[in-house]
Amino acid sequence: MSLVLDVRDATKVYGAGETAVHALRGVSLQVEPGDYVAIMGASGSGKSTLMNIIGCLDVPSAGEFHLDGVDVGALDDRRQAVVRNRKIGFVFQSFNLIPRMSAVMNVELPLAYGGVRPAERRRRALAALDLVGLADRVNHQPNELSGGQQQRVAIARALVNSPTLLLADEPTGALDSTSTLDVLGIFDRLSAAGRTIVVITHEADVAEHAKRVVRLRDGRIIEDTRLAPVDGLPPRLKEVTA
Amino acid sequence: MNAVEIVRFAVRGLAANKMRSALTTLGILIGVAAVILLVAVGEGSSQSIQRNIQQLGANTLTVSSSTGGGGGGGGGFRMAQPQEDTGPRTQAKPLTVDDARALADKAAAPHVASVSPVVSANSQAASYEGASHSIQQVVGTYPSYFEASNKPVAKGAYFFNDDVLAARKVIVIGQTVAENLFGALDPVGKQITVTGVPFTVVGVLKEAGSTGGFQDADDLAIAPLPSVQQSLTGFGPLNQILVKAGSADDVAAAQAEITSVLDQRHGVGGTVAADYQILNQATLQETVSAATSTFTVLLAAVAAISLLVGGIGITNIMLVTVTERTREIGIRKAIGAPRGAILGQFLVEATLLSLIGGLLGVAIAVAGAQFTIAGITPVVVPSSVVLALGVSVAIGLFFGSYPANRAAKLRPIEALRFE
Ligand SMILES: Nc1ncnc2c1ncn2[C@@H]1O[C@H](COP(=O)(O)OP(=O)(O)OP(=O)(O)O)[C@@H](O)[C@H]1O
Ligand SMILES: [Mg+2]
């Protein structure tokens, strides 16, 4: 079976000389289609660094990284933009919606850059917002939405292009428990529908929703535990749907 | 992602900060309007000067004394003026009626069509019944002067050679004089007095119209040469001799003939410098147009600087905009915006600012050119409009491309981390 994600011995060094920070010291990670991976670790252990490399937002100092069988590092600027657009949906801890643009326009944006026609774009954006339960807030601007709602808009935006891989860096970090449950429920349902998800979290009960937990320390993977089979349902699905 | 979409993003970007966009536009607007208006003023003044020169008459050469002796004396007497020595010449000879006669000799000067000796008296008090008026210039000459100096009559007639021979006190007056002395009355046949001497009005000159010069071209009167000499200027030297060449092609030949005749008569040659000068209208026109075009270029340069300042304003605003929106650029890149789309958005924003400013500037300049500025009617030069608009758009593209490029080149993570 082909891997969605194949990181081989990736390292990342920030700065140089005396002050160099080794954020990643050789990380290898393989993710199969349909897996739901939680990455945990102490603050500063390199989780975000790894996630940014996987999301094509940053480049590793050394090591290779294949996405869907393609060596992303070898692609030129324009093709990397296409990869970010089509294959990856990225959810940030701080939502990162574009201000002064309504929810539906934010969700439409990846489709616009992907060259989808306006009518089709609107239809798919509304469908994605419906999926995250925000059908009644489509014309609100980010500053008119609660944090949980903003994060759900961000998830809709990440999903709207049906990416191969959904990445989320502490998606619930800025949310209260109710909103956290909303978001986790969405992820569980997406996982049940076969979507591949990688999520970073600090919280053990968030990690319990995943099928597999990877632990980082000082830029290395120190633990890799499987909680549920790749082709099964996510372990806590019943609770969140109940 | 097509062009329409990019333009829409750009418009939304500009609309997000209306005040700032408006002020930047204002900078370009002022620059473009200044370029067009100042060039129009330069062109307007140049055209009015050219028109003034043309009024001197076509194909004419003006011979005047190059020593100070030819000036029109006031009143009915002439002051003895000390001769200034220029060069080795001991005695500069004034221009005389005999000089004029010699120039009219067909054998010596075949290319000369007519010769009019001229004396003039400035600021002469004239009156008719109760009304009085100070005539700026009273000219004493021959009838050929009317044609040579391009002064047709509108009412009545010229005076004739007979009048000159008999030194009759007849006079042709300009529009301004006619209005001031006669109002709505017909002046022809009436008798006016000029510094106490009675003259009969035989004609009224056609209105020359004020052409932006300091002198009113219609404030003059023309009478036979001996009449003016007798009553106003005395029988001193001529102020000038107006020579008309047969055609435009003959002007140069006529000038050469005049030079040889006068050189001989005045004993000029070898070490003796000429004591007269010939003003060629064509040369004058060239000189003046060279001067006025320098003037126009200077005005345009000043205006171009203000356009450049407007351009720097655009760069500045685009830099601020890009810096302020770096995070947004990061988000857009993270969700797959290609470099071209980011570059396009900011370039279109900069170009729109300058294009809108440029178009408004053109509108304002064209509206402003309808008014008289500093006594000059501006004439909008189409090429300056095209140039100013082109430059303003080029400025938008050029100055916008630096910040736009900087924005587009950022790696997504750098842009997202930007504070
Ligand atoms: N741009 C950067 N320049 C220099 N050092 C950096 C940079 N980004 C991260 N680091 C360093 O790299 C290390 C790993 O950072 P990273 O953001 O990956 O940690 P993290 O595991 O996501 O932590 P947290 O849970 O607090 O978000 C840290 O020591 C951090 O200081
Ligand atoms: Mg982090």
Side-chain angles (χ1 to χ4, degrees):
Chain A
M1 187 150 69
S2 69
L3 295 170
V4 170
L5 184 65
D6 186 2
V7 181
R8 292 181 211 153
D9 208 19
T11 62
K12 180 76 187 179
V13 184
Y14 291 109
E18 293 272 299
T19 57
V21 178
H22 292 262
L24 293 181
R25 302 167 185 268
V27 171
S28 294
L29 179 68
Q30 281 75 38
V31 177
E32 290 166 50
D35 210 349
Y36 182 177
V37 183
I39 296 179
M40 296 191 73
S43 182
S45 55
K47 306 184 295 291
S48 295
T49 305
L50 176 62
M51 194 64 125
N52 291 337
I53 290 171
I54 297 173
C56 284
L57 304 180
D58 207 351
V59 286
S61 306
E64 263 184 58
F65 152 52
H66 292 243
L67 191 72
D68 232 4
V70 179
D71 182 0
V72 177
L75 298 179
D76 64 15
D77 197 81
R78 202 169 46 82
R79 293 221 181 80
Q80 281 198 5
V82 173
V83 167
R84 284 195 282 267
N85 189 250
R86 299 281 162 77
K87 304 219 162 163
I88 294 165
F90 209 114
V91 179
F92 301 89
Q93 178 173 3
S94 52
F95 321 139
N96 276 343
L97 296 178
I98 294 181
R100 288 188 293 270
M101 273 176 89
S102 67
V104 66
M105 267 156 55
N106 261 289
V107 177
E108 275 184 31
L109 212 51
L111 298 170
Y113 286 123
V116 179
R117 298 191 161 282
E120 169 73 2
R121 211 190 282 171
R122 178 58 51 118
R123 195 187 61 72
R124 280 166 65 176
L126 290 176
L129 281 168
D130 193 36
L131 189 75
V132 297
L134 279 178
D136 55 339
R137 291 282 190 283
V138 293
N139 289 319
H140 288 59
Q141 297 196 349
N143 59 3
E144 298 163 346
L145 294 171
S146 75
Q149 288 168 336
Q150 286 186 58
Q151 192 61 297
R152 282 189 278 163
V153 173
I155 294 171
R157 185 179 67 185
L159 287 174
V160 75
N161 247 344
S162 315
T164 325
L165 187 58
L166 182 65
L167 304 175
D169 189 347
E170 302 196 34
T172 58
L175 303 181
D176 68 0
S177 54
T178 328
S179 297
T180 299
L181 277 182
D182 283 345
V183 168
L184 290 177
I186 293 168
F187 280 11
D188 280 359
R189 271 182 278 126
L190 287 170
S191 177
R195 181 88 54 207
T196 314
I197 301 172
V198 178
V199 57
I200 289 179
T201 184
H202 268 128
E203 297 152 72
D205 47 337
V206 172
E208 278 166 19
H209 285 254
K211 297 176 185 171
R212 175 183 171 193
V213 177
V214 173
R215 232 171 250 284
L216 278 183
R217 183 191 291 161
D218 292 336
R220 286 196 186 87
I221 293 180
I222 52 158
E223 195 186 316
D224 193 342
T225 321
R226 181 157 291 287
L227 304 180
V230 176
D231 46 7
L233 292 176
R236 305 276 291 269
L237 179 66
K238 285 195 194 71
E239 289 170 41
V240 291
T241 45
Chain B
M1 196 70 200
N2 57 23
V4 178
E5 210 101 41
I6 290 177
V7 170
R8 199 176 301 151
F9 279 151
V11 170
R12 202 173 292 145
L14 291 179
N17 226 318
K18 292 192 186 65
M19 187 65 174
R20 184 194 291 173
S21 303
L23 287 175
T24 316
T25 307
L26 189 64
I28 286 291
L29 181 157
I30 290 172
V32 168
V35 166
I36 297 174
L37 257 189
L38 290 187
V39 169
V41 167
E43 177 69 12
S45 71
S46 149
Q47 282 190 9
S48 99
I49 291 170
Q50 295 290 349
R51 242 180 291 126
N52 277 347
I53 294 174
Q54 265 156 25
Q55 264 179 10
L56 298 176
N59 312 332
T60 56
L61 293 159
T62 309
V63 184
S64 55
S65 186
S66 54
T67 59
F77 59 92
R78 291 193 57 80
M79 301 220 299
Q81 282 174 325
Q83 292 285 338
E84 282 175 56
D85 259 349
T86 51
R89 187 181 53 248
T90 49
Q91 179 80 59
K93 291 187 179 145
L95 291 172
T96 62
V97 177
D98 287 337
D99 286 334
R101 279 205 195 96
L103 292 177
D105 180 0
K106 275 284 167 223
H111 291 99
V112 170
S114 78
V115 179
S116 321
V118 175
V119 294
S120 60
N122 294 335
S123 307
Q124 301 296 310
S127 62
Y128 171 72
E129 293 182 346
S132 69
H133 170 69
S134 171
I135 306 177
Q136 211 172 64
Q137 193 182 35
V138 178
V139 171
T141 185
Y142 288 178
S144 56
Y145 178 83
F146 292 101
E147 199 213 331
S149 66
N150 191 18
K151 289 189 168 59
V153 293
K155 242 187 264 172
Y158 307 113
F159 51 80
F160 305 100
N161 284 331
D162 281 353
D163 300 318
V164 176
L165 290 174
R168 283 195 194 106
K169 299 283 190 294
V170 290
I171 197 163
V172 176
I173 58 177
Q175 279 291 344
T176 304
V177 181
E179 272 159 31
N180 283 316
L181 291 181
F182 297 96
L185 291 178
D186 181 4
V188 178
K190 307 266 175 11
Q191 200 168 63
I192 61 171
T193 58
V194 180
T195 50
V197 183
F199 278 87
T200 306
V201 178
V202 292
V204 179
L205 292 172
K206 191 163 168 256
E207 188 166 7
S210 181
T211 46
F214 295 107
Q215 284 198 323
D216 178 359
D218 291 312
D219 193 2
L220 89 169
I222 303 169
L225 177 71
S227 322
V228 174
Q229 286 179 317
Q230 266 173 25
S231 51
L232 303 175
T233 64
F235 291 89
L238 299 176
N239 291 70
Q240 51 179 229
I241 301 173
L242 194 63
V243 178
K244 185 172 166 64
S247 71
D249 297 335
D250 290 346
V251 174
Q255 184 164 2
E257 289 159 13
I258 295 166
T259 310
S260 82
V261 169
L262 290 181
D263 279 358
Q264 204 188 346
R265 291 182 56 83
H266 288 212
V268 176
T271 57
V272 183
D275 53 2
Y276 63 90
Q277 60 191 15
I278 303 175
L279 199 73
N280 182 333
Q281 206 219 106
T283 330
L284 179 68
Q285 215 154 357
E286 276 163 29
T287 316
V288 170
S289 71
T292 52
S293 68
T294 312
F295 173 63
T296 308
V297 166
L298 272 179
L299 286 181
V302 170
I305 289 170
S306 75
L307 194 53
L308 185 73
V309 171
I312 294 170
I314 287 198
T315 323
N316 188 21
I317 286 306
M318 291 316 293
L319 275 175
V320 170
T321 305
V322 166
T323 311
E324 201 183 63
R325 281 159 62 189
T326 305
R327 233 181 120 77
E328 180 188 325
I329 292 167
I331 300 170
R332 284 174 186 270
K333 293 201 93 163
I335 59 176
R339 185 183 288 190
I342 303 279
L343 186 67
Q345 177 180 342
F346 286 100
L347 266 190
V348 171
E349 279 191 23
T351 308
L352 274 181
L353 281 178
S354 61
L355 188 67
I356 292 170
L359 286 174
L360 287 176
V362 169
I364 285 178
V366 169
Q370 307 308 311
F371 300 97
T372 314
I373 299 166
I376 292 164
T377 315
V379 177
V380 174
V381 185
S383 64
S384 77
V385 175
V386 174
L387 193 77
L389 253 189
V391 167
S392 74
V393 172
I395 277 179
L397 278 174
F398 181 78
F399 287 107
S401 66
Y402 168 66
N405 229 323
R406 223 180 60 161
K409 275 223 241 21
L410 286 173
R411 245 190 293 148
I413 195 69
E414 292 166 341
L416 280 170
R417 285 231 185 88
F418 190 86
E419 289 304 329

